[in-house]
Amino acid sequence: MIERIDTGPRMSKIVKHNGVAYLCGQVGDGADVAEQTRDCLSRVEALLEKAGSSPQQILQAIVWLADMKDFAEMNAVWDAWVPEGHAPARACGEAKLARDVLKVEIIVTAALPGA
């Protein structure tokens, strides 16, 4: 069974299927990549909780940066956020994001405990 949560005309914020939660891409507010990454990860954490999962259950993360020069700054925030011993498979690349003010977008797939 597929369960869709917070579904709009274009997308669902969460899709659950076969014990896995798929989150839509998250962006954050802030003037620099560190602020945006912190806000983005806070939003990811809220969606994981709503899905019945947690940062410890993240299987994969895909990080898009508007400019790879921000890689180290984003990683500093990411590294402080990821629970020790629970680093997911992760990819990071550069992409033109939906709005010019955006510096980072993160897409997460997580396991659902007990599923």
Side-chain angles (χ1 to χ4, degrees):
M1 182 176 97
I2 298 172
E3 179 184 358
R4 300 174 199 283
I5 301 170
D6 293 340
T7 300
R10 181 172 294 138
M11 66 181 184
S12 297
K13 289 188 178 179
I14 304 165
V15 176
K16 293 165 56 171
H17 180 64
N18 283 344
V20 178
Y22 303 87
L23 306 186
C24 67
Q26 294 299 299
V27 296
D29 294 323
D32 60 32
V33 75
E35 290 175 359
Q36 287 189 20
T37 302
R38 274 190 287 280
D39 191 43
C40 181
L41 292 172
S42 175
R43 294 172 192 221
V44 165
E45 202 161 339
L47 286 176
L48 287 170
E49 184 176 328
K50 190 170 195 171
S53 192
S54 70
Q56 290 82 357
Q57 301 297 316
I58 296 175
L59 302 169
Q60 180 182 45
I62 300 169
V63 180
W64 292 115
L65 293 170
D67 191 328
M68 286 304 289
K69 73 175 176 52
D70 293 328
F71 186 69
E73 189 176 356
M74 177 278 300
N75 271 333
V77 176
W78 173 270
D79 292 344
W81 180 80
V82 171
E84 187 175 336
H86 297 278
R90 192 187 93 169
C92 184
E94 183 177 287
K96 180 147 178 68
L97 301 179
R99 296 186 317 270
D100 289 341
V101 297
L102 296 176
K103 298 181 182 303
V104 61
E105 180 171 357
I106 301 176
I107 305 163
V108 166
T109 303
L112 296 167

